[in-house]
Each structure stands twice: as C-alpha cells, then as structure tokens.
Amino acid sequence: MTKLTHLTRGRVFPILALVLIMGCAPQPSFHGFVPSEAALAEVEVGRDTRDTVAEKLGRPGAAGLMEGAGWYYVQSDWVRRGWSAPVEIDRQVVAISFDSADRVSNIERFGIDDGQVVALSRRVTDTGPTGGSLLRRLFGNLGRFAPGLIDGG
C-alpha cells in the first residue's frame, strides 16, 4: 500500500497545482453589441430611417431619453484575473442620430480612453450626435455621487 499511496500523492499534487494555476488565468467576458464597420457601411446617412436601421443592424440596447433622440449600441469587454474584481479593458459606443423626419443624420463611434469618451471615427459632422451631451453626462457622472443623495438627506 505504501507504493500506491506514494503514486497517488505524486499525481494529486501536480493536478492540484495545475488547477490553481488555471484559476489565475485571465477570464475575458463580453457584454453588449456594437455593429461592425461593414454593417455600419450599409446604413446610408440621409436615406435610412429608424425602421431600416433596425432591419440592418437590429434595435440597440439603449436609446436616447427624449423623443427623436439617437440610438446607442454599447459593448464592454472585461477581464477577471484570479479572484480580483473584473476590470473593463475596452468599451465601444456607436451613436446613430436621427433628424426630425426620423432619417439617419449622423453615425459616430466612441471608445474608452482614460475614462473619457473619445471620438474614434466620424462619418458626417463635427458637431457630434444629437443628444451627445447625454453620453457625456452618463460617462462623466460615473463615480460622482454624494452619499446624502442615496438616503434623501
């Protein structure tokens, strides 16, 4: 039995060490959806409407809060290492603005860079998407709240 115990112990420890090492490997996770550049190229500014954009790209997970506001496609990439909290490594936001006739007026793509929203590519104007201030407020207010606001005091 001593030979069997010795052989078993010799196999269990390397397997246990391998499991512990694998537990520390980075674990990526992806949330949301952003259309590819090829899919966005099919959307024509000034011609496509909300309905045709929905057919070509699908409806977004987020839309502007006001009537006639734009659509926002958002994707976040996270990585978890070991037992630490997940860290966001990339965020992409595609903002599609519509005019008063519900036609596409602008398409922009934003990314994450030091916690700031940065325009990566613009297809029409330099003024930004309609309701772009909403995006800036959403990302700008992350982490900016007072404890008194939570309990009403």
Side-chain angles (χ1 to χ4, degrees):
M1 276 256 216
T2 15
K3 278 188 170 182
L4 184 59
T5 307
H6 179 66
L7 287 175
T8 305
R9 204 179 295 159
R11 291 182 183 160
V12 170
F13 290 123
I15 291 172
L16 183 60
L18 182 63
V19 167
L20 288 174
I21 290 171
M22 289 176 61
C24 295
Q27 300 168 357
S29 63
F30 309 98
H31 305 277
F33 164 74
V34 171
S36 67
E37 286 296 327
L40 285 174
E42 293 180 19
V43 177
E44 294 182 47
V45 174
R47 174 172 259 189
D48 278 308
T49 64
R50 286 181 195 269
D51 292 332
T52 60
V53 171
E55 289 173 14
K56 293 177 180 181
L57 305 177
R59 295 199 176 271
L65 299 175
M66 299 181 342
E67 179 83 19
W71 285 1
Y72 305 100
Y73 296 87
V74 182
Q75 177 180 332
S76 294
D77 300 344
W78 298 78
V79 67
R80 176 186 295 254
R81 288 185 175 86
W83 291 274
S84 63
V87 175
E88 187 175 24
I89 57 172
D90 189 29
R91 180 187 311 130
Q92 298 290 317
V93 177
V94 170
I96 300 179
S97 303
F98 299 94
D99 62 16
S100 59
D102 263 355
R103 296 204 181 279
V104 175
S105 63
N106 198 6
I107 300 173
E108 291 187 282
R109 182 181 294 268
F110 299 94
I112 188 170
D113 184 17
D114 298 327
Q116 301 293 319
V117 176
V118 178
L120 297 179
S121 66
R122 291 191 174 176
R123 294 214 3 224
V124 176
T125 65
D126 288 333
T127 60
T130 304
S133 61
L134 173 67
L135 257 179
R136 286 182 182 84
R137 275 188 261 154
L138 283 174
F139 291 129
N141 286 330
L142 290 177
R144 278 196 219 160
F145 59 89
L149 295 175
I150 296 173
D151 63 4

